[in-house]
Amino acid sequence: MKEKWYVSTAQIGMLIFPVIVATADLLVPATIFKEADRDLWLSPLFASLTGYATVYLVFQLHQLFPKESIIEYSPRIVGPFLGKLCGLLVLFNLLYNVGYIIREYGEFIVGSFLYETPLLVVIGTIVLLCAVAVKAGLEVLARVAQVFVPVAVMLYALLMLLMLPSMKGENLFPVMEHGIVPVLKGAYTPQGWFSEVILFAFLLPYRVEKETGMRTGLLTVFTAMLALTLINLSTFLVLGEDVSDLNYPFYSAIQMISFADFFENIDLVVMAIWVTGAFIKISVFFYALALGTAQWLHLDDYRPLVLPFGFLLVVLSFWTAPNFSQLSANLQTFAGFQTTAIFMLIPLFLWLVARLRTGKKAGAEGMSSTRAK
Amino acid sequence: MKGGAIAGISLIAVLMTWYEWSALRRSPWKTKLAYAVLLLASWLIALLLVHNPNLPGPTQALMKIYKPLAGLLKNNEQQGGHE
């Protein structure tokens, strides 16, 4: 793969920010509430620890192999067989997760706005749109993110300001009534989202600046954590205990905004933000999936794989769960383990082996040159 | 109904290949093979799903793998007496 794309570090951060926040914002408050009760706003704080750890590992590995993605450098670190196996696991998890995300997107749109539209149409159109964006390349995606993410963040901030009058401060107390354990359990599902920052490993090889630290990664995880905390907090302050009965609590909280009888139906703004965020999120996953598969098979171009992958994703999104309640139940039970187990433990494994090997040989260059491509 | 769905799925697969044809023709055999395998696999899964929408899939496999861990979380919850 010799793609010549140049994207700035800020653009990469803006591509990853919706990856964490986009689908989490609507689904997560209800999921956390089931465990953490009224301390749900504290859980993202602990959940983001997974994000920091993954960012650290991915950026450390990136420093050893600045020009390669995780699919390319894993055979160099642990040998061809184990390396290919690690790559396959990461790719499979990406495939499964993006099928899942597409289904979440479709269920929300059909369940809240386009009641009569078949799920297949909603899912098919977004996948087609993402396929076109992915075929256009990373630079296009980066610019899309650069245009839309700041707008989406500003709109969210505006929505929260509008929610202020309906917030009830007494909902919040007492803080940590049952101690810290429920908060940690509540963090279990959202930490799965934070482990998805492994996608940095597919984007970093194309950045222009040679930043040595991992400021961008940490900043992205931190802002995502802040956003999720604020979303949980504002949702809970508005709705109180009703959060548990709702599928999309944040969306329901927004629906309560009403000023002077004419400033209403703001929930449509949420739909616009959600579609934009989901579009960027699915595209980044899709891009990493197509590019990673091409690298895994040593193909020289990933573009021919985009359309068949789109087809596979539509099929898979229907395959993941029979209905919405099953989908969110799965989310609650094993999605947290399933994403973190692969997206965090594989970089951890690679990093440990790389550390052991570079300790013996003279630096990272020694290891890279042993297996010239 | 089922016949229509199968025809529609096959039509999409054919249209996709038709659209990609000019690019595919110039690409090396490995790319062609990867394309064909991906497309045929998705086509086959789609047909199986039309035949039986409740076909066990990756979700069931992953659930089997992660069930012990998920069970761990549930048990703790009960012991803690927290609902």
Side-chain angles (χ1 to χ4, degrees), chain A residues 236-250:
Chain A
F236 188 67
L237 283 176
V238 170
L239 292 174
E241 307 277 326
D242 297 337
V243 169
S244 59
D245 305 328
L246 299 161
N247 285 335
Y248 309 108
F250 184 63

Side-chain angles (χ1 to χ4, degrees), chain A residues 312-331:
Chain A
L312 183 58
L313 290 177
V314 174
V315 173
L316 198 70
S317 68
F318 281 92
W319 206 10
T320 47
N323 50 42
F324 177 73
S325 57
Q326 190 61 46
L327 190 78
S328 53
N330 290 349
L331 204 67

Side-chain angles (χ1 to χ4, degrees), chain A residues 34-37 92 96 135 178 182 185 188 297-301 303-305 307-309 311-312 315-316 318-322 326 330 332-334 337-338 341-342, chain B residues 9 12-13 16 19-20 24 27-28 30-31 34-35 38-39 41-43 45-46 49 53-60 62-63 66 69-70 73-74 76-77 82-83:
Chain A
K34 290 194 183 105
E35 300 284 351
D37 224 33
F92 175 75
Y96 184 74
K135 260 178 160 308
H178 301 283
K185 274 184 192 157
Y188 155 69
L297 296 168
H298 297 294
L299 306 179
D300 48 2
D301 194 7
R303 282 185 189 81
L305 298 183
L307 280 185
F309 258 127
F311 192 8
L312 183 58
V315 173
L316 198 70
F318 281 92
W319 206 10
T320 47
Q326 190 61 46
N330 290 349
Q332 194 115 40
T333 48
F334 75 92
F337 284 121
Q338 173 243 330
I342 304 292
Chain B
I9 289 164
I12 289 171
M16 215 182 266
Y19 177 80
E20 283 284 335
L24 269 178
S27 49
K30 255 167 103 179
T31 313
Y35 179 94
L38 266 178
L39 191 64
S42 352
W43 179 75
I45 298 169
L49 280 177
N54 293 321
L55 188 76
T59 305
Q60 279 69 24
L62 288 169
M63 240 184 224
Y66 294 106
L69 294 167
L73 194 82
K74 272 228 175 77
N76 283 345
E77 193 178 295
H82 175 66
E83 217 171 309

